[in-house]
Amino acid sequence: MPDALTVDRLQFAFTIIFHYLFPQLTMGLSLLLVVFKGLGLVRREQRFDEDARFLGRIFAINFAVGVVTGIPMEFQFGTNWSAFSAFAGGVVGQPLAMEGVFAFFLESSVLGLFLFGERRLGPLLHFGSALLLFFGSWLSGFFILATNAFLQHPVGHVAMPDGHLALSSLGALLGNPWLVWQFAHNMSAAAITGAFAVAALGAFYLLSGRHLAHGRDLLRAGVIVGLSFALFELFPSGDQQAQNVARFQPVALAAMEGLFHSKEGAALALIGQPDMATLELDNPIEVPKALSFLTYRRWGAEVRGLDSFPRDLWPDDVPLLYFAYHIMVGLGTAFIALMALAGLMLWRGRLERSRPLLWALLLALPFPYIATTAGWVTAELGRQPWLVYGLFRTSQGASPNVSSGNVVFTLLGFCGLYLLVGILYLFLVGREIARGPTLAL
Amino acid sequence: MAALWYVLLVSMLAGYLVLDGFDLGAGALHLFLGKNQSERQLLLRAIGPHWDGNEVWLIAAGGTLFFAFPAAYAAAFSGFYLPLTLVLWLLILRGIGVEFRGHLDDPLWQAFWDVIFSVASSLLAIVLGAALGNVLRGVPLDTHGHFFVPLWTDFRTGPAIGALDWYTVALALLAYAALAAHGARFLALRTEGALQARARRLGALFGWAVGPLTVFDLWATAHVRPDDAASFGRAPWALLGLGAALVGWIGGLALSARRRDGAAFLASALYLLGMFASVAIGIYPNLLPAPAGASGSLGIAATAAPEATLRAALTWWLVGMAIALVYVAATFRIFRAKVESGGEGY
C-alpha cells in the first residue's frame, strides 16, 4: 500500500495530464477559428465560414471536456494538497482566481454567442466573438502559467512570521522572467497541436476523396500555421526556456540532459539510458561539446553535472525526466522536418497529390499531444523535489488529514469517469469528422 | 480588510447560489417538466446560454477563498475531501450531460443524458444544502485546524460527526425544494404553453414546500446551536435576512400565481439571498465554526491572507467582477426571448 503522498501525486499527475489534452486543442483551435473567420470576412467566401463552423463543432465538444476536467484541478489544491495551499495560497490563489474572474467569465459568455449566434450576430460581430474566444482561452493559459511559473521560480512573495507566503508584488508575479518564455513556448505548443489536428483533418478528407475544397483549406491553414509555430517552438522559445532552466534550475538541466559529471565542453546526448546504479549514460550517441554551446554559447564552457549537487537536491526521478525531455525535443525536431517538407510541397503546389506526405500528416495527429505531455512532465519532474522551488518540498505539501485509502478511492473514480469521458469524446468527434464540414447552418 | 473580503466572498457565493441555483433547479425538474424529447430540448435551451457562466461563479469563489483565506481553504477542502470529490464527479457528469446530449439526434442517447443531467443536478442541489448544513453545524477541528469528516456516521449531529446527519439532510431537502422552485420560475419565464403551465405548477408546489421546510430548519438550527441562535435572535439587523427571505417566499408564490414570472423569479432569488445572508451573518466572524460547545473555530482573522495581499487583490477583483456582472446582464438580455425549437441552440 503506497503512502498518501504517492497516491496524491499519482492522482494529480493523472488528472492534469488527462485534462491538458483538451485545453491545448482549445487554445490551438481558437487561433485557427480566428484564421478561418478572418478569411471568410476578407475573401467573402461561404466556404471559409463552413470550415469555421465545422471546427467550431469539434471545438465545442473539446471545450466542454476541458471545462469539466478543469474544475477538479483547482479543487485538488485544497483537497489533496492542503499543506501547500495553506503555505502558498496567499500567492498562487491570486492568479487562479484571476483566471476565473477575467478569463472563464469571458469564455463562457462568448462561447454560446460563437456557437449559436452566427445568424444573430452577423459576419463582423461573429468574427469578433471568435476573436474574444481566442483572447479568453489564451488569457486563461496566461494565468495558469503564471501560477506554474511561481512554483518553478518563486518571485513577488514574502515569508510571513508563521512561515506562510504572502504576495508582495502582483506585478512581479505576472512579470516573472520564467513566465515570459514559458508562455511563449507553451502557447506555441498549443498552436502546434491545433495546426496538426487541422492539417490531419484536411489530409484525411483529401486522402478519402471527400470534401476536397474544404480539405484543401484545412490542409493549407494547418501546414502554414504548423510550420510557423514548429519553428518558433524551437527557436527562440524552446532555446530561451532551456536558458531559464540552466539559470534557475541547473540541477534539473543536468538531469534532463543525462549529464552525471560536470564537464568543460560537455557533449549533447541524443540517445542513451541513464543508469542510476553506475551514474553513467549507457549506449550514448552524443554531439561533442554541443551542450556547452547550447547552454552558454561557448564550446568550451563548463556545464555542471548532477555530481556537483547534493543528492537530496536531485529530481527524484532522473530517468523519467531525461526521457520525457528527450521525447519532447525529438518530436519537436521531427515536427519541423515534417512541416518544412509539407510547406515546401505546398509552395510548389504538389502537396495535395503527394499521398505519402498526406498520410504522414494524418498519422502525425497524436504526436503533438505526446510532445506537449512530455514537455509538461519535464517541467514538473524537473521542479522536484520541490513543490515551490527552493522553498517548499513536495513531500511537505500533501493533506495530512486525508488517508491514502480515500485518495485511492477518488483516483479510481477519476480513472473510471475519465475513461468514459474519453471514449465519448472520441466517439462524438469521430462522428463530426464523418459528417464533414458541409452541414447547413 | 479581512472582514471586507468575507463580505466579498459571501457575495460571490450568493451570486453562485442565485445564478447556478436556477439551472440546478431546472435540471432537478428536467424529467418531471419535459414529457418528451423535444420539450426536454427546449428546457436545455433555456438554461443553455447561462449554465456554464453560472458555474464560473463557483470557480471564482473557490479561487477567492483560496487566496483570501488560504488556511480556511486548505482546512475545508481537505476536511470535506469525500463530499467535495463527489461534487466534482457530479459537476463532470452534469456538464457533459448538457453538452453531449444534443450532438446525437437519437432517442436512446438523449434519454440517457436527460437522466444523467437531471440526477446530477438534483444531487448537486442536495449536496449544496448539506454543505451549508455542515458549516452551520460545525466541524471537529483539531489543534492544527485540521478535520476530516466521513460521508456519514450515525446520522446524529455529534459527537461522531459525518457529512450527512439528520440536520444536514434537512437542509439538503430545503435546498432541493428552494432551488427547484427557483428553477421552475426561470423556466416559466422562458417557455410557453403547456410547458410554461407545468413549470408554474411545479414552481408553486415546491414554493409551498419551502415554507414548512424553512420553519423546520430554523428550529433545527436553534436546536443544534442553541447559544448562537440566541445571540442571533438578539441582533435585530441580523433578522433582516430572514425578513427578506419571508418577503421573497410570499412574493414568489403570489407573483407566480398572477403569472408575473419575471418578478416571481426575482422573488425566489430574494428568498435565497435572504437565507444565505442569515447564514453568513450567523457564522461571522468564523469561516468554519466548531460544533456547539467545542472550541477551535477557524475565524476570519486567523485564516486571512496578509493585509497587503488582500489590498492588492481588491483593485482587480472589483474591476473583474464588475465586468462579470455585465456579462450576466448581457446574457440575460440577449437570450431574453422565449425558447423555440429549430434554429440555433442545444
Side-chain angles (χ1 to χ4, degrees), chain B:
Chain B
M1 194 44 84
L4 174 64
W5 276 100
Y6 179 73
V7 173
L8 297 180
L9 176 66
V10 164
S11 63
M12 284 176 111
L13 288 169
Y16 172 71
L17 184 66
V18 165
L19 289 172
D20 211 28
F22 78 72
D23 64 68
L24 285 173
L29 300 180
H30 190 64
L31 299 177
F32 309 126
L33 264 175
K35 295 294 181 197
N36 54 48
Q37 311 246 318
S38 59
E39 284 188 354
R40 288 175 181 172
Q41 184 192 12
L42 282 181
L43 296 177
L44 279 181
R45 276 192 180 190
I47 62 163
H50 299 281
W51 80 270
D52 190 15
N54 292 346
E55 214 171 275
V56 174
W57 284 78
L58 180 66
I59 319 259
T64 301
L65 176 65
F66 192 7
F67 80 76
F69 302 99
Y73 170 87
F77 276 49
S78 59
F80 292 123
Y81 185 81
L82 293 173
L84 273 176
T85 307
L86 291 182
V87 167
L88 293 174
W89 293 348
L90 291 171
L91 286 174
I92 291 172
L93 286 172
R94 181 170 183 268
I96 59 174
V98 183
E99 293 296 327
F100 284 2
R101 179 192 187 275
H103 278 278
L104 202 61
D105 197 12
D106 178 272
L108 284 182
W109 175 267
Q110 302 199 339
F112 174 74
W113 290 115
D114 281 329
V115 172
I116 294 284
F117 167 64
S118 189
V119 170
S121 301
S122 308
L123 289 175
L124 277 168
I126 287 170
V127 172
L128 285 180
L132 267 185
N134 272 278
V135 172
L136 275 171
R137 181 209 53 214
V139 288
L141 295 148
D142 66 18
T143 47
H144 302 289
H146 296 148
F147 69 98
F148 186 87
V149 291
L151 287 176
W152 61 78
T153 54
D154 53 6
F155 290 93
R156 282 187 270 183
T157 56
I161 279 180
L164 290 179
D165 56 38
W166 69 267
Y167 172 70
T168 60
V169 168
L171 258 72
L173 292 179
L174 172 59
Y176 181 84
L179 295 186
H182 192 46
R185 281 163 191 162
F186 174 78
L187 291 173
L189 188 61
R190 287 284 187 271
T191 53
E192 296 168 301
L195 208 50
Q196 186 182 36
R198 234 175 283 143
R200 284 189 187 133
R201 247 194 333 272
L202 278 179
L205 181 72
F206 284 102
W208 278 109
V210 162
L213 283 169
T214 308
V215 172
F216 177 80
D217 285 355
L218 287 175
W219 169 83
T221 307
H223 177 77
V224 170
R225 300 199 76 95
D227 299 346
D228 301 295
S231 58
F232 183 77
R234 277 195 297 274
W237 57 273
L239 293 173
L240 222 66
L242 289 182
L246 183 67
V247 172
W249 180 62
I250 296 172
L253 288 170
L255 291 163
S256 179
R258 295 194 187 148
R259 308 193 164 181
R260 294 188 51 199
D261 298 307
F265 176 63
L266 290 178
S268 60
L270 181 66
Y271 168 83
L272 293 172
L273 289 175
M275 292 298 283
F276 193 68
S278 310
V279 171
I281 294 167
I283 64 168
Y284 183 87
N286 289 321
L287 264 175
L288 214 50
S295 62
S297 300
L298 280 184
I300 292 165
T303 58
E307 191 82 2
T309 304
L310 295 179
R311 202 178 295 277
L314 201 55
T315 323
W316 66 256
W317 190 94
L318 288 172
V319 173
M321 290 311 292
I323 300 173
L325 284 176
V326 173
Y327 294 147
V328 172
T331 308
F332 267 90
R333 167 135 191 94
I334 293 171
F335 294 96
R336 66 187 177 280
K338 304 274 183 192
V339 286
E340 47 193 40
S341 47
E344 299 168 309
Y346 281 79

Side-chain angles (χ1 to χ4, degrees), chain A residues 69-128:
Chain A
T69 57
I71 303 172
M73 300 325 304
E74 182 190 331
F75 275 49
Q76 259 183 96
F77 288 122
T79 51
N80 296 67
W81 300 94
S82 66
F84 159 72
S85 294
F87 171 75
V91 181
V92 297
Q94 211 150 136
L96 287 176
M98 291 178 90
E99 182 191 27
V101 168
F102 288 104
F104 289 162
F105 277 125
L106 172 64
E107 285 179 272
S108 60
S109 309
V110 176
L111 180 68
L113 288 178
F114 176 75
L115 292 179
F116 306 125
E118 187 165 352
R119 266 189 304 203
R120 209 178 305 199
L121 291 173
L124 193 62
L125 280 179
H126 195 244
F127 171 75

Side-chain angles (χ1 to χ4, degrees), chain A residues 365-377:
Chain A
L365 174 69
F367 291 97
Y369 288 100
I370 297 173
T372 303
T373 305
W376 271 107
V377 170

